[in-house]
Amino acid sequence: MDIGNPLDFTGRVVLVTGGTKGIGAAIAGAFLRAGADVAVCGRHAPGAAPAARGREAFFVPADVRDPAAAAGLVESTVERFGRLDVLVNNAGGSPDADAATVSPRFVEKIVALNLLAPFYVAQAAHRVMRAQEEGGAVVNIGSVSAHDPQPGTAAYTAAKAGLLGLTKALALEWAPHVRVNHITTGLIRTESAAAVYGADGGASVARTVAMARMAVPADVAGACLYLAGPLAGYVNGADLAVHGGGEFPARYLAARAADRAR
């Protein structure tokens, strides 16, 4: 099979949810640089939409937790560009919360954003992609929390574990016309997350990762380009780990610290 330039997305249309800042903006920018037409969404208009190579992403205001808004987002993208080839479900996140005292409303919002919203947008995208000869691809941005929960993330962990399961279920149902894959992200250095990594700017945290650094948004964007492109044409239902090899086990770090203290 001749796949030509696997990083050339000219003529393709990509939708990135939560694509106005952080990881989402990096993903949108990567696809713009690869030649794609890109739509992004958010609840509030950004000061400037992601841009690259003299082109700017098309912004659609949408709260993807609302099924009607999710469907409208896809409709607006298709109205603007005439098709939809790639959906990146990136919108998500959660502040830490004590599972013993957190409110039902908080739990509902976290599950809605991290699990239900990707489902709603994917459903709408599938209706478009299944009618296209070339089909399409969905990439769900998940979290290492789905595999290794951290304190304060019970609702988020449950939702992200559900997203991984959803990915595998949709991959079975929608193949071969629409491929659905998942990216497990680890620690990522973004402006919004800088405060949680400590007074040293994250240097100590980085030493807990096998690659000796935290990921940057471009690392996730590169994985999206791969999963959405022809090199991954037979990759479906996969969970691609973009976490630098993961974090060292606590017992290993404790033993190493004890050895240094001797």
Side-chain angles (χ1 to χ4, degrees):
M1 178 179 65
D2 181 10
I3 59 175
N5 180 356
L7 294 181
D8 184 2
F9 283 80
T10 302
R12 301 296 183 182
V13 177
V14 180
L15 170 60
V16 183
T17 67
T20 62
K21 59 185 179 180
I23 299 167
I27 294 169
F31 278 107
L32 284 168
R33 285 188 292 275
D37 292 313
V38 178
V40 298
C41 76
R43 284 181 289 170
H44 307 289
R53 293 177 59 181
R55 296 183 304 118
E56 190 173 274
F58 171 56
F59 173 74
V60 181
D63 183 347
V64 289
R65 297 172 299 182
D66 176 6
L73 168 63
V74 172
E75 291 169 4
S76 295
T77 301
V78 175
E79 286 175 6
R80 176 65 176 259
F81 297 114
R83 59 185 297 114
L84 178 60
D85 300 283
V86 179
L87 165 64
V88 180
N89 272 316
N90 166 76
S94 171
D96 285 357
D98 179 6
T101 59
V102 69
S103 70
R105 181 170 174 77
F106 176 89
V107 174
E108 290 169 1
K109 284 188 173 183
I110 298 307
V111 173
L113 177 61
N114 291 281
L115 176 57
L116 300 183
F119 200 158
Y120 298 150
V121 184
Q123 279 185 318
H126 176 257
R127 288 193 289 270
V128 176
M129 293 175 177
R130 70 186 181 189
Q132 298 173 165
E133 183 178 353
E134 302 89 347
V138 177
V139 180
N140 292 323
I141 306 299
S143 168
V144 70
S145 292
H147 302 271
D148 298 303
Q150 302 295 318
T153 67
Y156 178 73
T157 289
K160 286 302 189 183
L163 181 63
L164 177 55
L166 175 65
T167 298
K168 295 180 178 181
L170 296 183
L172 285 171
E173 289 194 31
W174 292 354
H177 222 51
V178 177
R179 296 184 298 108
V180 186
N181 289 294
H182 180 275
I183 293 176
T184 288
T185 62
L187 300 175
I188 302 175
R189 185 186 295 278
T190 63
E191 290 183 10
S192 61
V196 305
Y197 292 133
D200 63 0
S204 297
V205 174
R207 287 194 289 271
T208 71
V209 180
M211 286 291 288
R213 71 170 177 88
M214 285 184 279
V216 294
D219 293 315
V220 181
C224 289
L225 288 173
Y226 163 68
L227 288 175
L231 290 177
Y234 198 66
V235 179
N236 187 41
D239 178 18
L240 178 59
V242 182
H243 57 25
E247 298 173 66
F248 294 115
R251 63 182 180 277
Y252 170 82
L253 295 175
R256 190 167 64 176
D259 288 341
R260 287 199 300 265
R262 287 180 181 177

mmCIF file of all heavy atoms in Angstrom, residues 204-246:
data_model
loop_
_atom_site.group_PDB
_atom_site.id
_atom_site.type_symbol
_atom_site.label_atom_id
_atom_site.label_comp_id
_atom_site.label_asym_id
_atom_site.label_seq_id
_atom_site.Cartn_x
_atom_site.Cartn_y
_atom_site.Cartn_z
ATOM 1 N N SER A 204 12.045 17.789 40.593
ATOM 2 C CA SER A 204 11.985 16.599 41.440
ATOM 3 C C SER A 204 11.002 15.583 40.879
ATOM 4 O O SER A 204 11.268 14.374 40.887
ATOM 5 C CB SER A 204 11.580 16.995 42.867
ATOM 6 O OG SER A 204 12.541 17.843 43.445
ATOM 7 N N VAL A 205 9.869 16.070 40.395
ATOM 8 C CA VAL A 205 8.863 15.177 39.822
ATOM 9 C C VAL A 205 9.417 14.485 38.582
ATOM 10 O O VAL A 205 9.205 13.287 38.366
ATOM 11 C CB VAL A 205 7.580 15.951 39.481
ATOM 12 C CG1 VAL A 205 6.578 15.057 38.758
ATOM 13 C CG2 VAL A 205 6.948 16.514 40.750
ATOM 14 N N ALA A 206 10.139 15.226 37.759
ATOM 15 C CA ALA A 206 10.695 14.654 36.533
ATOM 16 C C ALA A 206 11.612 13.478 36.831
ATOM 17 O O ALA A 206 11.715 12.536 36.028
ATOM 18 C CB ALA A 206 11.447 15.720 35.740
ATOM 19 N N ARG A 207 12.285 13.506 37.982
ATOM 20 C CA ARG A 207 13.197 12.410 38.321
ATOM 21 C C ARG A 207 12.462 11.121 38.663
ATOM 22 O O ARG A 207 13.091 10.066 38.771
ATOM 23 C CB ARG A 207 14.093 12.839 39.487
ATOM 24 C CG ARG A 207 15.155 13.855 39.100
ATOM 25 C CD ARG A 207 16.227 13.990 40.170
ATOM 26 N NE ARG A 207 15.737 14.661 41.369
ATOM 27 C CZ ARG A 207 15.774 15.979 41.560
ATOM 28 N NH1 ARG A 207 16.257 16.770 40.612
ATOM 29 N NH2 ARG A 207 15.330 16.504 42.686
ATOM 30 N N THR A 208 11.150 11.180 38.809
ATOM 31 C CA THR A 208 10.380 9.966 39.065
ATOM 32 C C THR A 208 9.952 9.274 37.777
ATOM 33 O O THR A 208 9.379 8.185 37.827
ATOM 34 C CB THR A 208 9.126 10.277 39.902
ATOM 35 O OG1 THR A 208 8.173 11.008 39.103
ATOM 36 C CG2 THR A 208 9.472 11.074 41.139
ATOM 37 N N VAL A 209 10.206 9.901 36.624
ATOM 38 C CA VAL A 209 9.795 9.366 35.325
ATOM 39 C C VAL A 209 10.987 8.704 34.645
ATOM 40 O O VAL A 209 12.112 9.228 34.688
ATOM 41 C CB VAL A 209 9.232 10.487 34.422
ATOM 42 C CG1 VAL A 209 8.804 9.939 33.071
ATOM 43 C CG2 VAL A 209 8.061 11.186 35.116
ATOM 44 N N ALA A 210 10.761 7.574 34.016
ATOM 45 C CA ALA A 210 11.857 6.823 33.399
ATOM 46 C C ALA A 210 12.648 7.644 32.389
ATOM 47 O O ALA A 210 13.869 7.524 32.306
ATOM 48 C CB ALA A 210 11.307 5.559 32.733
ATOM 49 N N MET A 211 11.964 8.498 31.625
ATOM 50 C CA MET A 211 12.644 9.316 30.614
ATOM 51 C C MET A 211 13.328 10.543 31.205
ATOM 52 O O MET A 211 13.918 11.343 30.475
ATOM 53 C CB MET A 211 11.643 9.751 29.538
ATOM 54 C CG MET A 211 11.247 8.640 28.581
ATOM 55 S SD MET A 211 12.584 8.133 27.487
ATOM 56 C CE MET A 211 12.674 9.544 26.393
ATOM 57 N N ALA A 212 13.235 10.707 32.532
ATOM 58 C CA ALA A 212 13.891 11.799 33.258
ATOM 59 C C ALA A 212 13.361 13.173 32.873
ATOM 60 O O ALA A 212 14.033 14.185 33.073
ATOM 61 C CB ALA A 212 15.405 11.754 33.059
ATOM 62 N N ARG A 213 12.177 13.231 32.331
ATOM 63 C CA ARG A 213 11.511 14.501 32.061
ATOM 64 C C ARG A 213 10.019 14.248 31.957
ATOM 65 O O ARG A 213 9.584 13.130 31.667
ATOM 66 C CB ARG A 213 12.011 15.151 30.769
ATOM 67 C CG ARG A 213 11.576 14.443 29.474
ATOM 68 C CD ARG A 213 11.914 15.283 28.259
ATOM 69 N NE ARG A 213 11.582 14.640 27.000
ATOM 70 C CZ ARG A 213 10.393 14.717 26.385
ATOM 71 N NH1 ARG A 213 9.391 15.378 26.953
ATOM 72 N NH2 ARG A 213 10.187 14.102 25.231
ATOM 73 N N MET A 214 9.250 15.289 32.214
ATOM 74 C CA MET A 214 7.826 15.195 31.951
ATOM 75 C C MET A 214 7.565 15.401 30.467
ATOM 76 O O MET A 214 8.395 15.996 29.759
ATOM 77 C CB MET A 214 7.071 16.254 32.762
ATOM 78 C CG MET A 214 6.960 15.929 34.236
ATOM 79 S SD MET A 214 5.955 17.140 35.139
ATOM 80 C CE MET A 214 7.180 18.431 35.360
ATOM 81 N N ALA A 215 6.436 14.921 30.012
ATOM 82 C CA ALA A 215 6.054 15.159 28.623
ATOM 83 C C ALA A 215 5.740 16.628 28.423
ATOM 84 O O ALA A 215 5.438 17.364 29.359
ATOM 85 C CB ALA A 215 4.837 14.314 28.261
ATOM 86 N N VAL A 216 5.809 17.055 27.186
ATOM 87 C CA VAL A 216 5.311 18.365 26.779
ATOM 88 C C VAL A 216 4.161 18.114 25.810
ATOM 89 O O VAL A 216 4.034 17.013 25.249
ATOM 90 C CB VAL A 216 6.416 19.215 26.120
ATOM 91 C CG1 VAL A 216 7.494 19.558 27.127
ATOM 92 C CG2 VAL A 216 7.014 18.499 24.910
ATOM 93 N N PRO A 217 3.278 19.091 25.614
ATOM 94 C CA PRO A 217 2.121 18.864 24.737
ATOM 95 C C PRO A 217 2.475 18.332 23.356
ATOM 96 O O PRO A 217 1.722 17.545 22.773
ATOM 97 C CB PRO A 217 1.475 20.252 24.670
ATOM 98 C CG PRO A 217 1.769 20.853 26.013
ATOM 99 C CD PRO A 217 3.169 20.392 26.327
ATOM 100 N N ALA A 218 3.631 18.727 22.832
ATOM 101 C CA ALA A 218 4.024 18.254 21.498
ATOM 102 C C ALA A 218 4.201 16.741 21.456
ATOM 103 O O ALA A 218 4.015 16.121 20.393
ATOM 104 C CB ALA A 218 5.315 18.940 21.053
ATOM 105 N N ASP A 219 4.555 16.124 22.576
ATOM 106 C CA ASP A 219 4.695 14.669 22.611
ATOM 107 C C ASP A 219 3.353 13.996 22.350
ATOM 108 O O ASP A 219 3.273 12.991 21.632
ATOM 109 C CB ASP A 219 5.248 14.220 23.969
ATOM 110 C CG ASP A 219 6.672 14.667 24.206
ATOM 111 O OD1 ASP A 219 7.495 14.539 23.286
ATOM 112 O OD2 ASP A 219 6.960 15.151 25.314
ATOM 113 N N VAL A 220 2.301 14.544 22.934
ATOM 114 C CA VAL A 220 0.959 13.997 22.719
ATOM 115 C C VAL A 220 0.497 14.283 21.296
ATOM 116 O O VAL A 220 -0.116 13.432 20.636
ATOM 117 C CB VAL A 220 -0.030 14.576 23.739
ATOM 118 C CG1 VAL A 220 -1.425 13.986 23.541
ATOM 119 C CG2 VAL A 220 0.449 14.317 25.160
ATOM 120 N N ALA A 221 0.799 15.471 20.801
ATOM 121 C CA ALA A 221 0.403 15.836 19.435
ATOM 122 C C ALA A 221 1.012 14.883 18.406
ATOM 123 O O ALA A 221 0.353 14.476 17.453
ATOM 124 C CB ALA A 221 0.819 17.275 19.140
ATOM 125 N N GLY A 222 2.273 14.530 18.613
ATOM 126 C CA GLY A 222 2.919 13.606 17.681
ATOM 127 C C GLY A 222 2.239 12.254 17.651
ATOM 128 O O GLY A 222 2.086 11.636 16.587
ATOM 129 N N ALA A 223 1.812 11.781 18.826
ATOM 130 C CA ALA A 223 1.108 10.503 18.884
ATOM 131 C C ALA A 223 -0.232 10.584 18.164
ATOM 132 O O ALA A 223 -0.670 9.619 17.522
ATOM 133 C CB ALA A 223 0.905 10.089 20.339
ATOM 134 N N CYS A 224 -0.898 11.735 18.255
ATOM 135 C CA CYS A 224 -2.163 11.921 17.545
ATOM 136 C C CYS A 224 -1.966 11.864 16.034
ATOM 137 O O CYS A 224 -2.770 11.259 15.309
ATOM 138 C CB CYS A 224 -2.801 13.252 17.936
ATOM 139 S SG CYS A 224 -3.465 13.323 19.613
ATOM 140 N N LEU A 225 -0.906 12.507 15.544
ATOM 141 C CA LEU A 225 -0.618 12.461 14.107
ATOM 142 C C LEU A 225 -0.425 11.023 13.647
ATOM 143 O O LEU A 225 -0.886 10.633 12.558
ATOM 144 C CB LEU A 225 0.635 13.283 13.795
ATOM 145 C CG LEU A 225 0.511 14.807 13.888
ATOM 146 C CD1 LEU A 225 1.881 15.449 13.727
ATOM 147 C CD2 LEU A 225 -0.442 15.347 12.831
ATOM 148 N N TYR A 226 0.269 10.236 14.439
ATOM 149 C CA TYR A 226 0.484 8.831 14.079
ATOM 150 C C TYR A 226 -0.838 8.065 14.034
ATOM 151 O O TYR A 226 -1.157 7.410 13.032
ATOM 152 C CB TYR A 226 1.437 8.181 15.072
ATOM 153 C CG TYR A 226 1.406 6.668 15.023
ATOM 154 C CD1 TYR A 226 1.881 5.980 13.903
ATOM 155 C CD2 TYR A 226 0.875 5.922 16.069
ATOM 156 C CE1 TYR A 226 1.821 4.590 13.837
ATOM 157 C CE2 TYR A 226 0.817 4.546 16.015
ATOM 158 C CZ TYR A 226 1.285 3.881 14.895
ATOM 159 O OH TYR A 226 1.204 2.511 14.834
ATOM 160 N N LEU A 227 -1.621 8.140 15.104
ATOM 161 C CA LEU A 227 -2.844 7.338 15.182
ATOM 162 C C LEU A 227 -3.879 7.769 14.155
ATOM 163 O O LEU A 227 -4.699 6.949 13.718
ATOM 164 C CB LEU A 227 -3.432 7.423 16.587
ATOM 165 C CG LEU A 227 -2.665 6.669 17.678
ATOM 166 C CD1 LEU A 227 -3.277 6.941 19.043
ATOM 167 C CD2 LEU A 227 -2.648 5.164 17.395
ATOM 168 N N ALA A 228 -3.855 9.042 13.769
ATOM 169 C CA ALA A 228 -4.836 9.532 12.800
ATOM 170 C C ALA A 228 -4.421 9.286 11.356
ATOM 171 O O ALA A 228 -5.243 9.411 10.444
ATOM 172 C CB ALA A 228 -5.059 11.032 13.008
ATOM 173 N N GLY A 229 -3.152 8.938 11.146
ATOM 174 C CA GLY A 229 -2.627 8.846 9.791
ATOM 175 C C GLY A 229 -2.517 7.441 9.235
ATOM 176 O O GLY A 229 -2.846 6.452 9.899
ATOM 177 N N PRO A 230 -2.012 7.339 8.017
ATOM 178 C CA PRO A 230 -1.966 6.055 7.318
ATOM 179 C C PRO A 230 -1.000 5.042 7.917
ATOM 180 O O PRO A 230 -1.161 3.845 7.709
ATOM 181 C CB PRO A 230 -1.545 6.451 5.894
ATOM 182 C CG PRO A 230 -0.828 7.756 6.054
ATOM 183 C CD PRO A 230 -1.538 8.453 7.165
ATOM 184 N N LEU A 231 0.020 5.491 8.655
ATOM 185 C CA LEU A 231 0.927 4.538 9.285
ATOM 186 C C LEU A 231 0.201 3.667 10.302
ATOM 187 O O LEU A 231 0.643 2.555 10.609
ATOM 188 C CB LEU A 231 2.088 5.260 9.975
ATOM 189 C CG LEU A 231 3.118 5.923 9.057
ATOM 190 C CD1 LEU A 231 4.157 6.666 9.895
ATOM 191 C CD2 LEU A 231 3.803 4.903 8.158
ATOM 192 N N ALA A 232 -0.907 4.173 10.822
ATOM 193 C CA ALA A 232 -1.699 3.433 11.812
ATOM 194 C C ALA A 232 -2.971 2.876 11.189
ATOM 195 O O ALA A 232 -3.961 2.641 11.886
ATOM 196 C CB ALA A 232 -2.040 4.327 12.998
ATOM 197 N N GLY A 233 -2.940 2.626 9.905
ATOM 198 C CA GLY A 233 -4.135 2.184 9.199
ATOM 199 C C GLY A 233 -4.717 0.877 9.692
ATOM 200 O O GLY A 233 -5.910 0.606 9.480
ATOM 201 N N TYR A 234 -3.908 0.044 10.365
ATOM 202 C CA TYR A 234 -4.413 -1.216 10.915
ATOM 203 C C TYR A 234 -4.403 -1.193 12.440
ATOM 204 O O TYR A 234 -4.575 -2.213 13.098
ATOM 205 C CB TYR A 234 -3.573 -2.395 10.400
ATOM 206 C CG TYR A 234 -4.242 -3.740 10.549
ATOM 207 C CD1 TYR A 234 -5.391 -4.059 9.831
ATOM 208 C CD2 TYR A 234 -3.724 -4.694 11.422
ATOM 209 C CE1 TYR A 234 -6.005 -5.289 9.974
ATOM 210 C CE2 TYR A 234 -4.336 -5.941 11.567
ATOM 211 C CZ TYR A 234 -5.477 -6.220 10.838
ATOM 212 O OH TYR A 234 -6.101 -7.454 10.979
ATOM 213 N N VAL A 235 -4.224 -0.013 13.005
ATOM 214 C CA VAL A 235 -4.230 0.142 14.464
ATOM 215 C C VAL A 235 -5.624 0.564 14.888
ATOM 216 O O VAL A 235 -6.101 1.632 14.510
ATOM 217 C CB VAL A 235 -3.181 1.177 14.922
ATOM 218 C CG1 VAL A 235 -3.227 1.348 16.430
ATOM 219 C CG2 VAL A 235 -1.788 0.756 14.472
ATOM 220 N N ASN A 236 -6.270 -0.282 15.672
ATOM 221 C CA ASN A 236 -7.655 -0.029 16.078
ATOM 222 C C ASN A 236 -7.877 -0.618 17.471
ATOM 223 O O ASN A 236 -7.484 -1.754 17.745
ATOM 224 C CB ASN A 236 -8.624 -0.670 15.085
ATOM 225 C CG ASN A 236 -10.066 -0.319 15.353
ATOM 226 O OD1 ASN A 236 -10.384 0.827 15.667
ATOM 227 N ND2 ASN A 236 -10.957 -1.289 15.221
ATOM 228 N N GLY A 237 -8.475 0.167 18.357
ATOM 229 C CA GLY A 237 -8.696 -0.298 19.720
ATOM 230 C C GLY A 237 -7.442 -0.324 20.561
ATOM 231 O O GLY A 237 -7.404 -0.968 21.613
ATOM 232 N N ALA A 238 -6.410 0.409 20.137
ATOM 233 C CA ALA A 238 -5.126 0.384 20.835
ATOM 234 C C ALA A 238 -5.077 1.425 21.946
ATOM 235 O O ALA A 238 -5.770 2.436 21.912
ATOM 236 C CB ALA A 238 -3.988 0.637 19.851
ATOM 237 N N ASP A 239 -4.220 1.163 22.916
ATOM 238 C CA ASP A 239 -3.936 2.104 23.998
ATOM 239 C C ASP A 239 -2.455 2.444 23.902
ATOM 240 O O ASP A 239 -1.603 1.660 24.304
ATOM 241 C CB ASP A 239 -4.275 1.476 25.352
ATOM 242 C CG ASP A 239 -3.966 2.387 26.525
ATOM 243 O OD1 ASP A 239 -3.822 3.611 26.302
ATOM 244 O OD2 ASP A 239 -3.874 1.889 27.664
ATOM 245 N N LEU A 240 -2.152 3.611 23.354
ATOM 246 C CA LEU A 240 -0.766 4.031 23.141
ATOM 247 C C LEU A 240 -0.300 4.838 24.347
ATOM 248 O O LEU A 240 -0.838 5.909 24.639
ATOM 249 C CB LEU A 240 -0.668 4.875 21.866
ATOM 250 C CG LEU A 240 0.708 5.442 21.521
ATOM 251 C CD1 LEU A 240 1.729 4.328 21.345
ATOM 252 C CD2 LEU A 240 0.629 6.287 20.255
ATOM 253 N N ALA A 241 0.687 4.324 25.040
ATOM 254 C CA ALA A 241 1.192 4.991 26.243
ATOM 255 C C ALA A 241 2.181 6.084 25.871
ATOM 256 O O ALA A 241 3.211 5.817 25.264
ATOM 257 C CB ALA A 241 1.860 3.971 27.166
ATOM 258 N N VAL A 242 1.851 7.313 26.254
ATOM 259 C CA VAL A 242 2.760 8.444 26.057
ATOM 260 C C VAL A 242 3.065 8.998 27.445
ATOM 261 O O VAL A 242 2.568 10.044 27.857
ATOM 262 C CB VAL A 242 2.131 9.513 25.144
ATOM 263 C CG1 VAL A 242 3.105 10.661 24.895
ATOM 264 C CG2 VAL A 242 1.711 8.897 23.808
ATOM 265 N N HIS A 243 3.848 8.209 28.197
ATOM 266 C CA HIS A 243 4.133 8.584 29.577
ATOM 267 C C HIS A 243 5.610 8.403 29.933
ATOM 268 O O HIS A 243 5.983 8.342 31.102
ATOM 269 C CB HIS A 243 3.259 7.808 30.546
ATOM 270 C CG HIS A 243 3.361 6.305 30.461
ATOM 271 N ND1 HIS A 243 4.470 5.644 29.983
ATOM 272 C CD2 HIS A 243 2.459 5.333 30.790
ATOM 273 C CE1 HIS A 243 4.264 4.346 30.034
ATOM 274 N NE2 HIS A 243 3.054 4.131 30.511
ATOM 275 N N GLY A 244 6.444 8.316 28.908
ATOM 276 C CA GLY A 244 7.882 8.257 29.147
ATOM 277 C C GLY A 244 8.361 7.000 29.838
ATOM 278 O O GLY A 244 9.420 6.983 30.458
ATOM 279 N N GLY A 245 7.589 5.943 29.751
ATOM 280 C CA GLY A 245 7.950 4.703 30.435
ATOM 281 C C GLY A 245 7.303 4.566 31.794
ATOM 282 O O GLY A 245 7.449 3.547 32.466
ATOM 283 N N GLY A 246 6.594 5.610 32.218
ATOM 284 C CA GLY A 246 5.903 5.573 33.495
ATOM 285 C C GLY A 246 6.758 6.060 34.649
ATOM 286 O O GLY A 246 7.940 6.395 34.483
#
